[in-house]
Amino acid sequence: MKLIVEKNYDCISKIAAELIANEIRKNPNVVLGLATGSTPIGTYKELIRMHKEEGLDFSNVRSFNLDEYLGLEGNNPNSYRFFMNENLFNHINIDINNTFVPDGKASEPREYCKLYDKKIEDAGGIDIQILGLGENGHIAFNEPDDSLSIGTSIVDLTEETIKVNSRFFDSPEEVPKKAITMGIGSILKARKIILLANGERKAEAIRNILKCERISTQNPASFILLHHDVTIIVDEEAYSKSK
Ligand code: F6R
């Protein structure tokens, strides 16, 4: 595991974007694994800048997103498809048909989960996976539990996650209670993993990874420690409880 501690959010965003851009330059057909939430917004802004000012070319890039709320259409402003279009895809030259976000309105969600993993496999697997980190240690929507799914699955969101994510909705009641999420196994299959965290509210979850001696399904993020190529990029605030 490689750890990078940087001064602030801007710095971690620039480093993450540079790592992604390097993968794209090395392999224009790269398969990206993408996350939503507030953490990667700065990284996406920097990638957009690189596309506009430096000609970073996404025309052959494919992408798979980690998760989506169950029941939300892609045109719902709270859906992760909408988020990705707004915060990245609409501003770069990626072919939108090569961008995959789990379909929150899939008619057979359980079957759909299997198809999603198959789609990733058929694309050759994810080359570089970006992860944010839940305050409770979740990655994607793999919430702390007695067991965790290996593949993409339907999960119940915890009360805590619903509360934390309600900041994007008009009220907590509007937050969907279920989501489709890539599983821990789907995530660990990526060739490279980059986990990003910033701010004091992530400090405990980061400490629970960096000081972890036993992986646990109650700390889903601890599983990334089993991966052979993982880089954790944090700002000083997120690192503050790990010193
Ligand atoms: C989103 C995702 C989630 C977030 C996590 C942190 O696709 O997979 O695990 O990364 O909830 O969210 P933010 O970045 O909003 O703090």
Side-chain angles (χ1 to χ4, degrees):
M1 186 255 292
K2 190 171 166 199
L3 172 68
I4 301 176
V5 183
E6 284 290 328
K7 201 165 176 46
N8 56 34
Y9 179 66
D10 270 4
C11 301
I12 69 167
S13 301
K14 287 205 171 98
I15 290 182
E18 195 50 50
L19 290 173
I20 298 168
N22 281 342
E23 294 295 315
I24 298 173
R25 291 184 199 112
K26 248 187 349 207
N27 172 16
N29 297 303
V30 75
V31 179
L32 304 178
L34 300 175
T36 58
S38 42
T39 310
I41 289 178
T43 305
Y44 297 156
K45 277 201 176 125
E46 180 62 10
L47 286 173
I48 294 167
R49 189 200 63 74
M50 287 173 162
H51 167 65
K52 296 208 156 117
E53 293 176 14
E54 297 165 14
L56 184 64
D57 181 15
F58 290 82
S59 57
N60 290 311
V61 170
R62 285 161 297 164
S63 72
F64 287 88
N65 263 79
L66 287 168
D67 41 19
E68 178 62 282
Y69 290 115
L70 199 65
L72 296 196
E73 303 256 12
N75 59 7
N76 182 315
N78 284 315
S79 74
Y80 285 171
R81 160 54 76 182
F82 193 92
F83 174 100
M84 288 310 301
N85 290 351
E86 287 284 299
N87 287 290
L88 184 64
F89 301 149
N90 288 348
H91 311 284
I92 57 176
N93 66 334
I94 199 164
D95 178 347
I96 202 76
N97 296 315
N98 288 337
T99 68
F100 301 94
V101 180
D103 180 0
K105 291 296 273 183
S107 53
E108 300 276 356
R110 269 159 237 287
E111 281 309 303
Y112 179 82
C113 289
K114 287 185 201 143
L115 276 178
Y116 198 71
D117 281 328
K118 172 90 172 47
K119 247 191 224 177
I120 296 175
E121 221 178 287
D122 291 348
I126 289 170
D127 292 303
I128 180 164
Q129 175 68 58
I130 305 302
L131 295 177
L133 177 65
E135 290 172 41
N136 64 0
H138 74 213
I139 48 174
F141 272 137
N142 296 286
E143 300 277 31
D145 208 340
D146 291 342
S147 65
L148 294 172
S149 181
I150 297 169
T152 297
S153 71
I154 310 295
V155 290
D156 292 316
L157 301 182
T158 59
E159 282 305 318
E160 191 185 351
T161 296
I162 291 171
K163 205 168 122 212
V164 170
N165 286 8
S166 66
R167 68 191 193 278
F168 299 111
F169 292 76
D170 288 337
S171 71
E173 291 71 48
E174 278 181 37
V175 185
K177 308 284 179 284
K178 286 179 186 285
I180 301 183
T181 182
M182 269 167 61
I184 295 289
S186 332
I187 292 169
L188 289 180
K189 278 186 194 156
R191 292 180 186 88
K192 257 183 212 296
I193 295 179
I194 295 180
L195 181 133
L196 294 172
N198 66 286
E200 210 272 325
R201 70 187 180 93
K202 300 294 172 71
E204 201 167 318
I206 283 294
R207 187 196 54 210
N208 291 342
I209 302 176
L210 297 179
K211 301 284 183 203
C212 171
E213 288 180 358
R214 297 172 70 86
I215 52 167
S216 161
T217 56
Q218 297 297 341
N219 180 14
S222 63
F223 278 80
I224 65 167
L225 296 167
L226 298 177
H227 195 274
H228 66 283
D229 189 348
V230 56
T231 305
I232 297 181
I233 310 177
V234 291
D235 70 355
E236 281 174 3
E237 286 184 8
Y239 187 63
S240 59
K241 292 189 177 164
S242 301
K243 287 174 188 163

